[in-house]
């Protein structure tokens, strides 16, 4: 199982396509809200093989609750025993560093992937995810 925090629909489609090609048997579960992920993720952690987190989140059309941000999920995870590697995939450099700092304090194995270029998911995130899944 792969757990993801991502709010962009087009990115979710691209992540799904990449994961289908490198790990077709693993289910992808996506949350578009950090606060919802924190509330719901605990039962999925025992089966998680990889977690990938964005930082900046925008509310979806019609949503009233603030979706929060990736730091909220990183802080939540840091309080738990590590279960799998984490990728931080945010273009917000400062906040990404805060996220990996939280994960490091919690003893989690992590990698940072900066979304640079139009094909960063296919060209860079894919390789990092594949390598982490092969561990």
């Amino acid at each position: 199982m792969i757990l993801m925090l991502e709010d962009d629909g087009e990115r979710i489609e691209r992540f799904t396509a990449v994961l289908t090609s490198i790990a077709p048997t693993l289910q992808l579960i996506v949350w578009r809200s950090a606060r919802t992920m924190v509330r719901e993720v605990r039962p999925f952690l025992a089966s998680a093989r990889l977690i990938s987190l964005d930082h900046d989140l925008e509310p979806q059309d019609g949503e009233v609750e603030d979706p929060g941000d990736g730091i909220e999920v990183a802080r939540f995870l840091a309080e738990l025993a590590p279960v799998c590697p984490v990728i931080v995939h945010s273009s917000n450099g400062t906040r990404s560093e805060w996220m990996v700092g939280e994960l490091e304090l919690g003893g989690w194995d992590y990698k940072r992937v900066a979304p640079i270029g139009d094909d960063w998911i296919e060209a860079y995130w894919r390789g990092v995810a594949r390598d982490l899944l092969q561990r």
Side-chain angles (χ1 to χ4, degrees):
M1 183 172 303
I2 298 168
L3 310 177
M4 182 173 287
L5 177 64
E6 176 59 61
D7 64 333
D8 184 280
E10 184 263 335
R11 281 185 179 182
I12 293 169
E13 288 178 14
R14 291 170 53 207
F15 282 122
T16 301
V18 165
L19 288 169
T20 298
S21 72
I22 64 170
T25 61
L26 293 180
Q27 178 184 8
L28 173 64
I29 300 176
V30 180
W31 287 269
R32 293 173 181 248
S33 162
R35 294 178 180 160
T36 303
M37 185 174 185
V38 167
R39 284 193 304 265
E40 297 176 355
V41 75
R42 195 177 295 266
F44 300 103
L45 290 173
S47 301
R49 297 270 320 279
L50 178 67
I51 299 170
S52 193
L53 304 173
D54 192 9
H55 178 272
D56 300 335
L57 305 171
E58 298 294 327
Q60 301 300 300
D61 290 339
E63 286 186 356
V64 250
E65 182 182 55
D66 178 353
D69 58 47
I71 292 173
E72 293 175 46
V73 178
R75 284 184 180 139
F76 171 78
L77 292 175
E79 294 176 3
L80 304 174
V83 296
C84 66
V86 178
I87 298 175
V88 174
H89 68 264
S90 176
S91 58
N92 188 328
T94 300
R95 300 304 172 124
S96 291
E97 289 301 317
W98 291 8
M99 290 172 70
V100 299
E102 292 290 337
L103 295 167
E104 188 171 329
L105 287 172
W108 288 74
D109 181 18
Y110 65 86
K111 297 286 183 192
R112 182 161 186 270
V113 173
I116 298 171
D118 292 337
D119 65 345
W120 67 273
I121 294 170
E122 298 80 6
Y124 185 42
W125 187 92
R126 172 192 185 112
V128 172
R130 184 187 59 239
D131 291 347
L132 292 174
L133 287 168
Q134 290 176 349
R135 288 185 182 181

